[in-house]
Amino acid sequence: MRLTLLGTGDAVGTPLVGCDCPRCSHAKETGLSRLRTSLLIENGGKHILIDSSPDLRSQLLRSGSPRIDAVVWTHGHFDHFIGFGEFYRVQKIPPVYAAPQVLDYCAGYFRFLSFERNTIEPYTAFELFGVTITPFIVTHPPAFTCGMLFETGKSRIGFTSDTNRNIPKESLDLLHDLDLLLVDALVPEGFTIEKHMNYADACSLAQQLAPKEFRCVHISHFMPGDLPHLGTDGETFEFA
Ligand SMILES: [Zn+2]
Ligand SMILES: [Zn+2]
Ligand SMILES: [Zn+2]
């Protein structure tokens, strides 16, 4: 299984439109931007997209134009589902998997598209193309939001891009023996955002769960660029 970070940015991305801060200026000069956070999982020639960001078109082009076989939505925020319309006239609209309240909300927005809708339940594993996916509840008020555990062969990957540090115990209990943890770090240490973690929160969660590797995602332009464990757009990971 191969996992690609299609984007590692927050809801507005880096560079932020109209911003001339050092991070945004650097991103504009170098082209090293942070598109909105989403993941591509490839297993056995099939492609699963985790969240359909507003940057989906450029993310698909940058990653070699894979045909997407399924989409999983974590929650109904703009930056995680709104790019789904980019499949229109590009490929068959892929089937979507999401918790009932997420599916209702997001699919309602896309009522002009015809596609297969599948409900999933927190803490109930389902399988897509050889990847076992277990949604787990995180805390991202007021939106009902799931993180996802991906398992294939002997590998375990935990992902949550939108949560505060107060993740339910039942969810944390799932995230043992991870090969990779991908976790929300919106802002640097010292910032407090009610619905997200800061860098120190992300590091403390990683210390608690002790994954083999971890990367921060959903990173805003406030974050310095030189901290350890920051994910980068296009970064890929291979798993047995
Ligand atoms: Zn988000
Ligand atoms: Zn900026
Ligand atoms: Zn969100």
Side-chain angles (χ1 to χ4, degrees):
M1 182 181 89
R2 170 186 289 190
L3 184 150
T4 304
L5 307 182
L6 293 180
T8 56
D10 65 343
V12 295
T14 301
L16 166 62
V17 173
C19 184
D20 291 317
C21 80
R23 288 293 310 143
C24 290
S25 300
H26 180 263
K28 279 182 268 191
E29 284 159 17
T30 61
L32 295 172
S33 57
R34 291 193 187 283
L35 300 181
R36 272 60 78 86
T37 293
S38 74
L39 308 178
L40 179 66
I41 291 177
E42 181 182 355
N43 196 44
K46 298 286 188 177
H47 296 90
I48 307 167
L49 180 68
I50 312 300
D51 285 341
S52 50
S53 96
D55 295 314
L56 182 61
R57 181 173 180 275
S58 18
Q59 290 170 330
L60 292 176
L61 287 168
R62 282 184 184 186
S63 54
S65 304
R67 184 189 183 282
I68 301 299
D69 297 288
V71 173
V72 179
W73 282 330
T74 59
H75 66 301
H77 276 164
F78 159 80
D79 48 323
H80 296 269
F81 78 98
I82 213 91
F84 189 71
E86 295 291 350
F87 289 117
Y88 176 67
R89 290 185 56 198
V90 169
Q91 65 158 79
K92 179 178 181 290
I93 309 297
V96 173
Y97 296 76
Q101 53 272 66
V102 176
L103 195 58
D104 279 355
Y105 181 80
C106 301
Y109 182 89
F110 288 110
R111 56 190 172 272
F112 58 95
L113 292 177
S114 169
F115 59 96
E116 183 188 312
R117 297 152 196 219
N118 302 281
T119 54
I120 58 178
E121 295 294 338
Y123 310 113
T124 302
F126 64 104
E127 188 173 320
L128 286 177
F129 315 117
V131 182
T132 302
I133 305 177
T134 308
F136 57 87
I137 292 173
V138 293
T139 308
H140 186 49
F144 175 86
T145 303
C146 287
M148 302 284 161
L149 170 69
F150 308 110
E151 295 171 276
T152 179
K154 291 182 179 150
S155 303
R156 295 167 53 81
I157 298 107
F159 168 65
T160 174
S161 63
D162 293 60
T163 184
N164 65 29
R165 183 67 175 83
N166 189 26
I167 299 174
K169 182 177 182 302
E170 192 175 0
S171 298
L172 293 175
D173 287 347
L174 274 179
L175 301 176
H176 58 84
D177 298 318
L178 293 177
D179 294 276
L180 175 65
L181 172 68
L182 300 167
V183 74
D184 182 342
L186 182 76
V187 285
E189 182 171 7
F191 285 60
T192 303
I193 309 282
E194 187 202 0
K195 45 173 104 165
H196 286 280
M197 293 203 277
N198 66 28
Y199 182 73
D201 293 329
C203 292
S204 92
L205 181 68
Q207 195 168 33
Q208 179 184 350
L209 298 175
K212 283 187 191 140
E213 279 195 87
F214 93 94
R215 291 289 186 279
C216 298
V217 294
H218 212 287
I219 297 164
S220 74
H221 69 140
F222 295 110
M223 190 77 83
D226 53 358
L227 296 171
H229 305 293
L230 299 187
T232 53
D233 287 22
E235 193 170 5
T236 62
F237 302 85
E238 301 275 353
F239 301 97

